[in-house]
Amino acid sequence: MQVCKGFAHFVLVGSVVLSGVLFAQSLREVAQERGLLVGTAARAYLLSEQQYTATLAREYNLLEPENDLKWQSIHPARNTFDFVSGDQLVEFARLHNMEVRGHCLVWGRYLPQWLQDGHFTSSQLRAILQEHITKVVGHYKGKIYAWDVVNEAMDEKGQLRPSIWFDQPGIGEAGHGTAYIEQAFRWAHEADPGALLFYNEAEGEAMNAKSDAIYAMVRDMKRRGVPIHGVGLQMHILNLKPDLDGIAANIRRLTEIGLQVHITEMDVALPVDAEGRQRDPADLQRQAEIYGRVAADCFSTPGCTTIQTWGFTDKYSWIRSWTRGNKGSATVFDGEYRPKPAYQALRSVLRQLPQSTPASTQ
Ligand code: XIL
């Protein structure tokens, strides 16, 4: 009898421990019960690392190739498309029941040398861009559910940035405002009428000149029947006092005109030491609050059902190189894949939301 009790006690303690450690619901499990997507950027060359893939598949139901679909990697020469690493990520997502966001089709940066130095005329560029969009979106038709069609086309004042696609020399729409952007959306829609098409932008998250210009552009496009379905707010947060009320208000106004909002590239950069560890441990709590608030404000707005972070482990986040070593520790898992307070904050925000019927995407 005594022995049995002891055994039962052991089993009970054992299962509590197991459920606390091993069987705690992952982000994607909690999100799935609520019909939401929680995603991350990922890199194909890291799929060979076991801890990387285990965490990616366990925690996320959405994946976005961080660099593998950009022009430099997918269109390395005038007549060459290279889908190898993009295909690896899309296949990984399929095997693990994850959706895929595509990033990105039109951007003035990270372009291959052959294109930048090609001295192409506007009509040649028009043909090159149309072919690129048609081939890339066509290749992933039915496999990529949402595309960032145009990325970072505006400066901080909300003016269109000069670029090879807009006006240097452009695809033939220079002087016609956002017409080149609209054209890209039409080509993408023709290539995959089922894909959701997004305009994706940095530093237009809160209420400011840039987000006003984005709002005006997408409202105009929507009114005129341009195939645009949403706005991606990148959400690279570099200071610990972001205008969270402004972000919530901007999410609301975009969704009120019938567009979706995806948080597409969230990270919250902290001051770090030479090893990349946060200088002040209290910053981890502040970081968690910011992740939690943005998630809560998104998910409490109908039309904002997707949050994605720009990488998931500090081991591979782009922030340290982008800030020349000054900032880092920006993601929700540390360099050893241990969940940080920001991870717990995201999960508890998700948990507090009402459950719905299981998402069809799982
Ligand atoms: C960054 C990647 O994270 C880096 O690995 C790469 O070297 C440069 O691009 N906005 C975007 C992303 O839309 O494509 C950028 O990604 C980060 C800023």
Side-chain angles (χ1 to χ4, degrees), residues 207-261:
M207 300 297 243
N208 55 35
K210 193 193 266 193
S211 66
D212 288 350
I214 297 167
Y215 177 71
M217 174 182 77
V218 297
R219 188 180 52 178
D220 168 59
M221 284 169 64
K222 181 130 174 69
R223 266 196 201 138
R224 290 183 301 101
V226 178
I228 180 168
H229 307 102
V231 173
L233 303 179
Q234 289 188 7
M235 210 67 69
H236 294 291
I237 293 180
L238 285 159
N239 81 72
L240 292 176
K241 290 190 177 143
D243 176 7
L244 296 167
D245 292 339
I247 293 170
N250 192 37
I251 293 174
R252 261 198 316 277
R253 72 169 164 174
L254 288 165
T255 57
E256 277 166 8
I257 55 174
L259 289 167
Q260 296 189 35
V261 169

Side-chain angles (χ1 to χ4, degrees), residues 347-360:
R347 204 175 51 182
S348 83
V349 163
L350 283 163
R351 277 209 144 106
Q352 283 159 35
L353 297 166
Q355 295 195 18
S356 63
T357 45
S360 58

Side-chain angles (χ1 to χ4, degrees), residues 69 74-75 81 83 105 131-141 147:
L69 301 181
I74 210 167
H75 201 160
F81 287 84
F83 294 110
L105 300 167
E131 185 196 22
H132 179 87
I133 291 176
T134 306
K135 284 237 164 91
V136 174
V137 176
H139 182 83
Y140 292 112
K141 186 175 179 179
W147 273 102

